[in-house]
Amino acid sequence: MQSPHLFLFLPLLLPGMWADSEAELKVLRVLQTSLFTNSSSAEVYGLALLRDIPIYTMDRVNWTLSVQQPWAQRAAAEGDAVKIAAHYKTALRNMIRYMHDTAQDMAMEYPFVIQIHAGCVVYPNETASGFMDVGADGRGLVAFKAERRRWEAQQLSPLAQYISKSLNRNKSVMELLEHLLTILCQSHVLTLYRYGKADLERQEPPVAAVFARTASPAQLLLVCRVTGFYPRPISVAWLQDGQEVPPGPALNTSSILPNADLTYQLRSCLAVRPRDGHSYACRVSHRSLGTRSLLIPWENHSPVPTVGIAAAVLFIVAIASAGGIWWWKCR
């Protein structure tokens, strides 16, 4: 079951983090949002994703981890999950204490929100790199560079400068983070992938439909709705008379959004003139389709012939009725 507070992590899901090149990477992400309501309390929401599948959620009261996938439970029993969870709780307590002290030193106003996006990437050659980005109230604040063993400010504010300098003075914390984000994270990711291979490598083909909406008397909006696909990378294009429509103000494609069943959806809209005489089709390419593509046509038929046929039918019915009445009277 997904965390009900997943929306809190949306600012951490930066554009490009789901790039197509990630298809061959093994990525574990920890998303954490901490709401500091006053100088003595904080509410923490946590979620861990393996690529894009929820693996762990954290109870905001006692900070216990709940496993979201059956195969992740088996991987946790074999791997370093217990050790990682213990380190995580220790780091969480220290982080909360540190932010309260920082708020006092920097005269910060409550409430404020601290967001953390951390984890590791395991490459095809099984080398790994860790990352940790910290934001405040939706803006990047500081980032830990594991390969350099140092924190770097992500903005020129006094708060970012203060935090990066104070954290860089604590060598033991940086050594712990480097070990946690590389060695332990890499080992656990490889274990998770071994148990969850079927789910992580599954492919669900897209289902697509095309329909039209009247935006104005002079504009028709063609909508291509694509849903139910996995993995996330997908290509959607519009064709006009068999030629691909280039990017422009008439073309608008939404972001890729998740469905409740761990598949994805998106919409692509094309603005056209009514009865312009062109034919249109939506083309969808996805890994599950192999080398072929879905091609869903929409023909821009004029309503005039339909109206003419209807009028002709009514005229014939009227003539027949009049003739029937005349024949009945004559008889």
Side-chain angles (χ1 to χ4, degrees):
M1 176 177 158
Q2 296 189 16
S3 169
H5 303 286
L6 181 59
F7 71 94
L8 293 170
F9 304 121
L10 291 179
L12 299 174
L13 303 178
L14 303 176
M17 68 176 285
W18 304 110
D20 289 5
S21 60
E22 236 183 49
E24 303 302 323
L25 304 181
K26 299 176 174 67
V27 186
L28 178 67
R29 309 176 192 277
V30 176
L31 307 177
Q32 176 187 303
T33 295
S34 304
L35 173 61
F36 292 82
T37 53
N38 52 55
S39 59
S40 60
S41 66
E43 294 183 10
V44 183
Y45 308 94
L47 173 70
L49 300 168
L50 188 62
R51 191 177 286 175
D52 54 357
I53 296 179
I55 302 298
Y56 307 114
T57 55
M58 187 186 69
D59 188 285
R60 65 188 181 91
V61 177
N62 55 22
W63 299 352
T64 58
L65 297 181
S66 298
V67 183
Q68 302 300 299
Q69 305 296 331
W71 47 265
Q73 184 71 57
R74 297 192 295 271
E78 175 186 321
D80 299 313
V82 175
K83 188 184 298 183
I84 294 174
H87 283 307
Y88 180 71
K89 282 189 177 183
T90 300
L92 189 55
R93 283 193 292 268
N94 292 336
M95 185 274 293
I96 291 175
R97 187 182 306 115
Y98 172 79
M99 285 310 306
H100 280 307
D101 293 342
T102 300
Q104 183 176 0
D105 294 342
M106 298 296 292
M108 296 172 59
E109 294 184 1
Y110 289 91
F112 61 88
V113 174
I114 297 295
Q115 295 168 296
I116 296 177
H117 173 213
C120 64
V121 180
V122 180
Y123 301 98
N125 62 1
E126 296 196 354
T127 60
S129 63
F131 57 90
M132 177 175 283
D133 302 306
V134 181
D137 295 326
R139 294 183 57 204
L141 190 63
V142 296
F144 178 67
K145 305 299 180 181
E147 68 280 1
R148 302 177 193 171
R149 288 191 180 181
R150 65 176 288 104
W151 290 88
E152 295 182 0
Q154 302 300 293
Q155 54 180 265
L156 298 177
S157 68
L159 179 61
Q161 301 299 321
Y162 174 89
I163 290 179
S164 60
K165 289 179 181 178
S166 63
L167 290 176
N168 281 327
R169 289 194 292 265
N170 197 327
K171 302 300 181 183
S172 60
V173 171
M174 288 191 289
E175 290 176 359
L176 174 62
L177 277 177
E178 182 190 20
H179 181 70
L180 185 63
L181 296 175
T182 53
I183 298 174
L184 287 183
C185 186
Q186 176 193 28
S187 173
H188 191 50
V189 165
L190 292 175
T191 303
L192 285 168
Y193 264 78
R194 190 168 71 252
Y195 281 95
K197 184 177 180 179
D199 278 358
L200 294 162
E201 295 184 358
R202 84 185 199 278
Q203 295 185 8
E204 302 290 345
V207 176
V210 171
F211 57 92
R213 290 178 176 171
T214 303
S216 69
Q219 189 180 77
L220 198 65
L221 196 64
L222 305 184
V223 181
C224 181
R225 183 176 184 269
V226 186
T227 188
F229 57 90
Y230 187 91
R232 190 176 189 274
I234 195 168
S235 173
V236 178
W238 280 98
L239 305 181
Q240 182 187 68
D241 299 330
Q243 300 297 315
E244 185 171 332
V245 177
L251 184 61
N252 182 21
T253 301
S254 71
S255 301
I256 299 176
L257 301 175
N259 292 320
D261 60 353
L262 299 181
T263 61
Y264 292 98
Q265 64 167 297
L266 85 160
R267 288 190 176 196
S268 183
C269 301
L270 179 66
V272 301
R273 295 192 310 273
R275 303 181 299 278
D276 62 3
H278 295 291
S279 65
Y280 296 92
C282 177
R283 185 181 64 197
V284 180
S285 302
H286 188 257
R287 188 186 311 172
S288 63
L289 302 174
T291 56
R292 65 187 182 89
S293 299
L294 292 180
L295 196 64
I296 304 93
W298 184 85
E299 296 293 339
N300 193 358
H301 291 304
S302 170
V304 173
T306 303
V307 174
I309 292 172
V313 170
L314 290 175
F315 179 75
I316 293 172
V317 170
I319 293 297
S321 300
I325 293 172
W326 177 82
W327 177 83
W328 180 80
K329 286 184 176 180
C330 289
R331 185 175 180 182

